Amino acid sequence: MHSWKDKFTEKIANFFYEPSSSSSSSPSSSDHDQTSLPLKDESYLSSILSFLFPSQESISKEENDYEAGSLKIIKCKNSDTKDENPDLGSGKSTSSNEVFEDAIDLKTPKKHVHDLNLDSVFISSNLSQFFLSCLPNIVKGCKWVLIYSTLKHGISLRTLIRNTFEVSGPCLLITGDNKGAVFGGLINCPLTPTPQRKYQGTVQTFVFTTLYGAPTLFRPTGANRYFYICSNDMLAFGGGGSFALRLDGDLLTGTSGPCDTFGNRCLAHNEEFELKNVELWGFTHSSRFR
């Protein structure tokens, strides 16, 4: 009894067999066998069957040849499994996960986005983008920390000054009037109150306002170095003509006017106004591993 493979081989041979002219004239069985002999050659049929029904050994060989070709398949491994190929740049081996993480760090640009969930009365999305563009580079990308707010800490300039000793570096004072204008300025913390009018600050100090449509920034003009004054009963920005912004000790009222230090216009709707709230924000560097 012939097996199914023998029958299939015979059908394949008959399919490819085309009788020649000599065989058609003498259709004897011996001639037929001689004519079809090349097609029924065992090695030839074996190659056909190997193509149609590849063995497991040939499949494994093809997979190995594929992996050894020009395409390299990167497989993920556990962090404790070391890559057999050393890092060409550093001359040391690394795990596949480390290589994968490095690839993400190189291809994914880091962009620091301001936290819009801050507990602030004044900071909107538009104002947040404005601060990102005008704040010093040393605080860009830092975490915002609320140092003082009249809604949380009470109405007291002394409390505001005392809380500034918790941080160091630039801090942003934000306040506003009851008619909707938001304004303030940049100071350095901790604040040091002086009994006399002694100006402090650096050329990084500025004042701003939203009174004139889009947020407007006023930086030092170089006319003087009257950046800001801090005492137990007053906090004021600028000088020469009038204060650009002055907050009274009770943090309930204030004044604003043009000054030579910043070349600004009035920051509030009126030169004298009632304060809606006062906030002081500091900046700290947060770790990427937290």
Side-chain angles (χ1 to χ4, degrees):
M1 178 178 290
H2 297 286
S3 64
W4 68 271
K5 188 173 182 181
D6 295 335
K7 292 181 179 180
F8 185 82
T9 303
E10 183 178 358
K11 289 183 180 181
I12 291 294
N14 293 334
F15 178 80
F16 286 97
Y17 170 71
E18 292 183 1
S20 61
S21 58
S22 62
S23 63
S24 60
S25 59
S26 301
S28 63
S29 58
S30 59
D31 293 339
H32 181 273
D33 293 340
Q34 293 176 0
T35 305
S36 59
L37 184 60
L39 291 175
K40 290 189 176 182
D41 183 73
E42 185 176 355
S43 61
Y44 180 79
L45 293 178
S46 298
S47 63
I48 296 177
L49 292 177
S50 299
F51 176 78
L52 296 177
F53 302 97
S55 63
Q56 187 64 31
E57 181 180 356
S58 62
I59 292 176
S60 301
K61 183 177 182 303
E62 290 176 0
E63 290 178 347
N64 294 334
D65 293 339
Y66 176 75
E67 291 182 350
S70 59
L71 295 178
K72 182 179 180 181
I73 301 175
I74 300 176
K75 299 180 181 180
C76 296
K77 303 178 182 178
N78 295 330
S79 58
D80 57 350
T81 304
K82 298 299 181 180
D83 196 339
E84 296 178 357
N85 297 325
D87 187 357
L88 297 180
S90 60
K92 59 182 180 179
S93 62
T94 58
S95 67
S96 296
N97 282 349
E98 291 174 350
V99 174
F100 183 69
E101 290 174 356
D102 291 342
I104 293 180
D105 292 339
L106 291 175
K107 296 182 179 180
T108 305
K110 295 180 176 61
K111 182 179 180 181
H112 298 289
V113 180
H114 180 56
D115 186 1
L116 297 181
N117 297 321
L118 297 177
D119 188 11
S120 173
V121 176
F122 304 108
I123 301 177
S124 62
S125 177
N126 187 34
L127 197 56
S128 172
Q129 296 300 320
F130 168 73
F131 290 145
L132 287 178
S133 63
C134 66
L135 286 173
N137 291 331
I138 192 174
V139 301
K140 287 184 178 179
C142 292
K143 180 180 178 181
W144 287 52
V145 179
L146 183 60
I147 300 174
Y148 173 83
S149 171
T150 53
L151 296 180
K152 287 188 173 184
H153 303 95
I155 305 173
S156 171
L157 178 60
R158 292 177 180 268
T159 302
L160 184 152
I161 295 172
R162 184 171 61 250
N163 289 359
T164 62
F165 284 88
E166 300 176 2
V167 294
S168 61
C171 292
L172 186 63
L173 180 76
I174 307 176
T175 186
D177 58 21
N178 291 328
K179 295 184 178 181
V182 179
F183 42 85
L186 188 74
I187 59 177
N188 290 328
C189 288
L191 286 172
T192 304
T194 57
Q196 300 177 347
R197 288 198 171 186
K198 182 178 180 180
Y199 278 89
Q200 307 172 45
T202 66
V203 292
Q204 290 185 332
T205 305
F206 62 77
V207 293
F208 72 92
T209 182
T210 62
L211 181 63
Y212 305 104
T216 305
L217 185 72
F218 299 97
R219 293 191 182 276
T221 61
N224 54 52
R225 299 183 62 86
Y226 303 156
F227 300 119
Y228 63 84
I229 298 175
C230 178
S231 65
N232 290 324
D233 58 358
M234 178 187 67
L235 177 60
F237 292 82
S242 61
F243 294 121
L245 176 63
R246 179 183 184 273
L247 306 183
D248 295 330
D250 55 10
L251 298 182
L252 292 175
T253 58
T255 62
S256 177
C259 76
D260 297 335
T261 306
F262 301 105
N264 63 284
R265 294 178 283 177
C266 182
L267 305 181
H269 283 90
N270 304 105
E271 292 187 357
E272 297 182 1
F273 50 85
E274 294 182 359
L275 296 173
K276 179 180 180 181
N277 187 27
V278 177
E279 297 176 357
L280 184 64
W281 291 90
F283 309 93
T284 60
H285 292 276
S286 56
S287 172
R288 59 172 289 191
F289 300 103
R290 292 181 179 178

